Amino acid sequence: MEAAARVIARRGVRGLRVEELAAEAGVSTALIYYHFKDRTGILRATLEFISDRAERYTTERETGAQPLDARGELEQTLLLELQDTAEVRENSAAWGELRASAVFDPELREDLARATLVWVQEVAELLGRVRPMGGAAALAGSAERLTALLEGLSVRWLSGSLPLAHARELMAGAIDAELQRLR
Amino acid sequence: MEAAARVIARRGVRGLRVEELAAEAGVSTALIYYHFKDRTGILRATLEFISDRAERYTTERETGAQPLDARGELEQTLLLELQDTAEVRENSAAWGELRASAVFDPELREDLARATLVWVQEVAELLGRVRPMGGAAALAGSAERLTALLEGLSVRWLSGSLPLAHARELMAGAIDAELQRLR
DNA sequence: GTCTATATCAGGATAGAC
DNA sequence: GTCTATCCTGATATAGAC
């Protein structure tokens, strides 16, 4: 699965060559087909893998780091997705591609919608901790906007239309605006 | 070019088959290669085509319609991109795909960054008409957020993670929040 | 400008041995 | 579980006639 995430981040979903994946994982193509029914099976498993991994690295804090307040948690969770480390870049690129390919291929749409919902709810929950009086609908709306914006900024960054630092500033500004709105 | 926009909207950039494009346009594949150097040439021309077309349909107002105020212009410009008409859907799908494919293929990055900048500046200008006292940097930031959000919402819509009506509500809410912020 | 025909090649998927 | 070898389809790009 790590190899799959790497290859998809490097070539895209539509550029994924099973042979390249096999080489990256150090096995034969036949073995890939032994473990996964077909290309789609590989993609489905990779989507789950990167969702879990993102969940992990946005949630975990280094041991010894002082605990963050609610707003800090929120900012961390969203801004951590805009970082130039191998793991995050891989995750962002692969997530964006799975999203983009679902426009033309319905097969992964359900899995993707489910994963999106989980993510939106997480962010809504964090927003709720900063604004305990915020209504559920308003929190959900803000969470949808913030996560959709993050996807938009992320692909602009990765496609070379927006420097990473600027993307981060814009994201921080949006968090600010949504919290104002929920006041 | 119309055929190219249709095919890219139907199959994606990576799913574009020159043969299918040729059939859609009612000509042979060889003729496509006579007019465009290669696949990339087709894509580059299509990007320009859809940029111009979007410029047109977000700017033009029906003859006889009463003129909109500044805020109405702004809302129209952004919300018109979230509509289920053939032309808009085609444009959104193709634009999103050109963006997504640039993550893995650098060839169109410059053209895309340029087209993005033009769009952001247009929106910043409209924002400036609603908030004449807004500083240039603040207006630019808001425009970047709004357009990036639109891209994010658009791909969620087209990939089946978000109903169109809801996407429109979220967009309207964001316009609201940004105008608050610029007050 | 436009076509038919085709060279050429890459990549998904599987057969069958170990 | 894992490999080697290969079938077969489908796609880009070009040659050459009209």
Side-chain angles (χ1 to χ4, degrees):
Chain A
M1 297 326 304
E2 281 166 13
R6 277 198 298 277
V7 176
I8 291 178
R10 189 190 309 141
R11 306 282 181 213
V13 165
R14 277 77 55 96
L16 169 69
R17 299 294 160 244
V18 179
E19 207 166 344
E20 185 176 358
L21 166 56
E24 184 83 24
V27 300
S28 67
T29 66
L31 187 58
I32 304 286
Y33 284 102
Y34 175 82
H35 284 286
F36 305 96
K37 190 179 164 296
D38 53 17
R39 262 181 125 267
T40 305
I42 301 171
L43 298 178
R44 203 183 302 279
T46 310
L47 172 58
E48 198 189 333
F49 175 75
I50 62 167
S51 297
D52 292 353
R53 192 164 69 169
E55 172 81 34
R56 183 170 49 67
Y57 68 55
T58 57
T59 306
E60 279 178 9
R61 298 286 169 260
E62 280 173 36
T63 52
Q66 52 256 51
L68 290 167
D69 60 356
R71 169 145 193 176
E73 285 283 350
L74 177 66
E75 284 178 345
Q76 278 293 305
T77 299
L78 293 168
L79 291 174
L80 266 177
E81 306 275 0
L82 293 171
Q83 294 220 97
D84 203 358
T85 67
E87 215 182 32
V88 169
R89 206 187 163 99
E90 259 174 36
N91 258 50
S92 293
W95 175 268
E97 251 292 277
L98 288 161
R99 166 78 67 204
S101 67
V103 173
F104 306 100
D105 180 356
E107 288 196 295
L108 290 175
R109 285 188 191 172
E110 274 190 39
D111 299 78
L112 202 58
R114 205 171 5 253
T116 304
L117 185 61
V118 169
W119 184 29
V120 168
Q121 285 174 342
E122 257 174 55
V123 172
E125 216 242 309
L126 290 173
L127 283 164
R129 278 196 231 148
V130 186
R131 291 280 179 268
M133 304 311 263
L139 291 171
S142 288
E144 287 179 300
R145 271 192 296 272
L146 288 174
T147 54
L149 175 63
L150 181 47
E151 287 185 6
L153 292 175
S154 183
V155 66
R156 282 196 185 180
W157 160 43
L158 294 168
S159 65
S161 285
L162 185 65
L164 181 57
H166 194 185
R168 292 174 60 88
E169 283 169 21
L170 292 170
M171 191 70 226
I175 295 171
D176 221 71
E178 293 293 343
L179 288 177
Q180 281 293 333
R181 188 188 174 80
L182 290 169
R183 181 182 293 282
Chain B
M1 296 326 305
E2 281 166 15
R6 277 197 299 278
V7 176
I8 290 178
R10 191 190 307 142
R11 307 281 182 214
V13 165
R14 277 73 59 97
L16 169 69
R17 298 295 159 243
V18 180
E19 208 166 344
E20 186 177 358
L21 166 56
E24 184 83 23
V27 299
S28 68
T29 65
L31 187 57
I32 305 286
Y33 284 104
Y34 175 81
H35 284 285
F36 304 96
K37 189 178 164 297
D38 54 16
R39 264 182 125 269
T40 305
I42 301 170
L43 298 178
R44 202 183 303 278
T46 309
L47 172 58
E48 197 188 334
F49 174 75
I50 62 168
S51 297
D52 291 353
R53 193 163 69 168
E55 173 81 34
R56 183 169 50 69
Y57 67 56
T58 57
T59 305
E60 279 178 9
R61 297 287 170 257
E62 283 173 35
T63 52
Q66 53 254 50
L68 291 167
D69 61 354
R71 171 146 191 174
E73 285 283 350
L74 176 67
E75 284 180 346
Q76 280 292 306
T77 298
L78 293 168
L79 290 174
L80 268 177
E81 306 274 0
L82 293 171
Q83 294 221 95
D84 202 357
T85 66
E87 214 183 34
V88 169
R89 206 187 162 98
E90 258 175 37
N91 257 52
S92 293
W95 175 268
E97 252 292 277
L98 287 162
R99 167 76 69 202
S101 68
V103 173
F104 306 100
D105 180 356
E107 288 196 294
L108 291 176
R109 284 188 190 171
E110 274 190 40
D111 299 78
L112 203 58
R114 204 171 6 250
T116 304
L117 185 61
V118 169
W119 184 29
V120 168
Q121 284 174 341
E122 256 173 57
V123 172
E125 216 242 310
L126 290 172
L127 283 165
R129 278 195 231 149
V130 186
R131 292 280 181 268
M133 303 313 264
L139 291 171
S142 288
E144 286 179 300
R145 271 192 297 271
L146 287 173
T147 54
L149 175 63
L150 181 48
E151 287 185 6
L153 291 174
S154 182
V155 66
R156 281 197 185 180
W157 160 43
L158 295 167
S159 65
S161 285
L162 184 66
L164 180 57
H166 194 184
R168 291 174 60 87
E169 284 168 22
L170 292 170
M171 192 70 225
I175 295 172
D176 222 71
E178 292 293 344
L179 287 176
Q180 282 292 333
R181 188 190 173 79
L182 290 169
R183 182 182 292 282

